[in-house]
Each structure stands twice: as structure tokens, then as C-alpha cells.
Amino acid sequence: RKEVEQDPGPFNVPEGATVAFNCTYSNSASQSFFWYRQDCRKEPKLLMSVYSSGNEDGRFTAQLNRASQYISLLIRDSKLSDSATYLCVVLNNAGNMLTFGGGTRLMVKP
Amino acid sequence: EPEVTQTPSHQVTQMGQEVILRCVPISNHLYFYWYRQILGQKVEFLVSFYNNEISEKSEIFDDQFSVERPDGSNFTLKIRSTKLEDSAMYFCASSEAVVAEAFFGQGTRLTVV
């Protein structure tokens, strides 16, 4: 089983749509989780941390399900500028290594 | 807004040559990292560095790689004898504390010919 697994997509959605991505991780002892966004040939940029209770930042909502070892990201009211690859990232227990999923590509169309 | 800066943005080198990739982490950050991304593949961890020593490294980070913090601001990755398969985007990152968000530089695209 891959350490961090994501559906590569692409997800093609119209502007204004709601889209959800899931990610599974293999290490049940993992404590910290993040969603990063990566534009083509650019660096990963932190989108949001994922907390056990779930958290929301504007149009973005992240959820963590420890029992099933999956993390989700929900994007509401998609904008053209949301088109990017979304990376699910898990931090190891020592806090010194991030493991990245392969990313899910989102394309928002007018 | 503070940011991680990397130089050069693009480096072309001949196989077997040594390269040094440079990074200036965010000034109050204490943890530094190098990651790489081969074109079309996922981001892979290379090494983390704290308190002037390596705290974790991956299998990729073999004897041809080394890191150094030569002064109070720079953090470097040296590849001693480059191979064709070292061609990738190399990202430097830093974080304020352990179990904190990491911020990435814009990357150095290394092309080995």
C-alpha cells in the first residue's frame, strides 16, 4: 500500500461547482496532515492544515477520519483560479519528514 | 510576507560535475528541508536539518549528497557527481518548529546532460 494515496484525476468541473478529494494514508500513527496546492512547474503552497475536528477556511473544508485513515478536501463554489494539483501531505511522528501523495489534478472550466 | 528563496532558478550541468543548490530559509525558522520532484512524479523527501545536523534522510540521499548551513542564513545542497537521473526540480523548505507547516521555495530546476 502506498504511504499516501490519491486519485490522480483530472477532475473537470464547471465554475461554481462543489468538488471533493480524498486521500488515504498507511501509517496509523501519523499525527499531522496538510493539503498543499501546486500549480504547474511551481512549488507546493500550503493550503491548509487538517485538524481532527475538521476545519474550514473560506470555501475550503478539510476533514480527517483517523479510524479509516483518510483525509478529505472540499472546495465549494469553484473558481477558475482553483485549477491546480492538490497534494495530500502527511508529517511523520518525529515531525521532520513530509510524505506527499501523487496529487489530484483539478480543472475548473468556465 | 517572508519567503524561502532559492538560487539559481535553473542550472544545467554535465554528468559527473558537482553542483551546489542554495537556499535562504525564512529568518526565524529552525528546521530546513530539501525535497525533489522529477518531472511528472510526486514530491520526494531528501533530507531534514536541525541544529546544524541532519535529523532525517531518505534512501535517495546517498553519499553523493550533502547539506550544509555555512552561515546564519544560507542552506545548501551539494551533489558531488551528478547523474542523468538527478535531473529534477529541487525544493528547499523551512518550518518554524517541529510539527509545523513547511514553506517551500520556488525551486531550482536541475538538468544534467
Side-chain angles (χ1 to χ4, degrees):
Chain A
R1 183 179 177 184
K2 288 182 187 174
E3 289 186 77
V4 181
E5 196 154 3
Q6 297 181 251
D7 179 345
F11 285 59
N12 294 298
V13 303
E15 265 186 297
T18 295
V19 62
F21 309 134
N22 289 332
C23 160
T24 56
Y25 60 95
S26 60
N27 185 352
S28 59
S30 299
Q31 295 295 321
S32 299
F33 310 90
F34 307 94
W35 283 102
Y36 279 75
R37 169 200 169 121
Q38 187 175 33
D39 294 289
C40 189
R41 295 180 178 252
K42 300 285 189 183
E43 76 273 23
K45 288 188 177 174
L46 180 67
L47 185 64
M48 58 198 305
S49 303
V50 186
Y51 303 121
S52 296
S53 54
N55 48 303
E56 188 174 309
D57 183 2
R59 298 182 293 109
F60 300 85
T61 301
Q63 295 276 355
L64 169 63
N65 184 320
R66 287 190 185 274
S68 302
Q69 292 177 220
Y70 84 76
I71 306 146
S72 65
L73 177 68
L74 183 79
I75 305 175
R76 288 181 298 279
D77 189 23
S78 300
K79 311 288 184 196
L80 295 176
S81 56
D82 292 335
S83 297
T85 297
Y86 289 83
L87 307 174
C88 176
V89 184
V90 178
L91 183 65
N92 67 340
N93 286 347
N96 57 10
M97 181 174 75
L98 293 172
T99 300
F100 284 75
T104 298
R105 191 168 169 216
L106 171 66
M107 298 180 68
V108 182
K109 310 253 180 197
Chain B
E1 184 178 320
E3 59 181 18
V4 177
T5 57
Q6 291 184 242
T7 54
S9 57
H10 191 187
Q11 172 124 23
V12 181
T13 189
Q14 290 209 323
M15 194 167 54
Q17 295 296 303
E18 174 183 288
V19 294
I20 297 176
L21 310 183
R22 302 181 192 279
C23 169
V24 179
I26 294 172
S27 62
N28 64 331
H29 285 189
L30 301 176
Y31 297 80
F32 315 116
Y33 315 88
W34 284 100
Y35 290 80
R36 79 171 187 190
Q37 187 173 31
I38 295 169
L39 189 63
Q41 297 187 22
K42 66 178 183 178
V43 177
E44 300 175 291
F45 170 77
L46 292 177
V47 66
S48 57
F49 192 86
Y50 169 69
N51 201 27
N52 281 319
E53 59 182 24
I54 290 173
S55 66
E56 184 68 68
K57 61 181 182 178
S58 70
E59 290 176 356
I60 303 168
F61 194 88
D62 60 22
D63 291 345
Q64 69 162 341
F65 290 90
S66 62
V67 289
E68 194 177 32
R69 187 153 163 83
D71 52 44
S73 59
N74 290 286
F75 179 51
T76 62
L77 174 70
K78 183 192 289 186
I79 309 175
R80 264 180 272 283
S81 177
T82 49
K83 307 185 183 82
L84 294 176
E85 55 265 35
D86 293 328
S87 295
M89 182 75 96
Y90 287 81
F91 293 111
C92 174
S94 69
S95 62
E96 192 173 6
V98 72
V99 198
E101 297 91 346
F103 295 89
F104 285 74
Q106 79 281 15
T108 293
R109 181 167 297 283
L110 177 65
T111 303
V112 183
V113 296

